Amino acid sequence: MRIQGQGTSFGSGGNRQDSQRSRRFRMAHRAGQKVRGTVVAWQEPGLAWVEIDGHRLLATISQDAALGLERAFLIVRLEPDIVLRELTGGAKGLDVLV
């Protein structure tokens, strides 16, 4: 579940486990929905594993987020790729693709 810059995608053509995770996330959510996720582990600066409603996703988030800190996201779209925007990342927000 790798996320890269704006407009980049995850979920299509990935491995089977990623595909199943994406499908479960799509079934449980809708575009326009606001969700909260908890930072559970850092992958590298600016890239962390976030748990949203029981789904663990790799997301680009603000570097000031401490482990255990909750962040708000807007589900921008679910198809063809899942795109989230961090709502607490400033006025513009950050794109997050799962």
Side-chain angles (χ1 to χ4, degrees):
M1 300 188 136
R2 179 100 182 158
I3 296 85
Q4 304 171 354
Q6 293 184 1
T8 323
S9 64
F10 152 81
S12 38
N15 69 35
R16 186 174 185 184
Q17 182 181 2
D18 288 348
S19 177
Q20 290 173 352
R21 252 189 283 197
S22 297
R23 187 174 31 132
R24 286 193 305 266
F25 188 86
R26 285 182 179 104
M27 289 172 45
H29 298 88
R30 59 178 168 68
Q33 182 179 1
K34 292 180 184 177
V35 294
R36 300 198 66 79
T38 303
V39 180
V40 294
W42 283 100
Q43 182 76 17
E44 59 187 58
L47 189 64
W49 287 99
V50 178
E51 189 164 314
I52 299 174
D53 297 334
H55 302 277
R56 192 169 286 214
L57 312 167
L58 190 57
T60 302
I61 62 171
S62 302
Q63 291 183 333
D64 64 345
L67 292 180
L69 186 65
E70 192 172 77
R71 294 290 195 179
F73 298 93
L74 172 68
I75 300 174
V76 177
R77 72 175 190 241
L78 294 169
E79 297 291 342
D81 302 304
I82 300 168
V83 177
L84 306 177
R85 176 159 291 156
E86 182 184 9
L87 296 175
T88 58
K92 179 181 174 205
L94 299 172
D95 282 346
V96 180
L97 304 168
V98 283

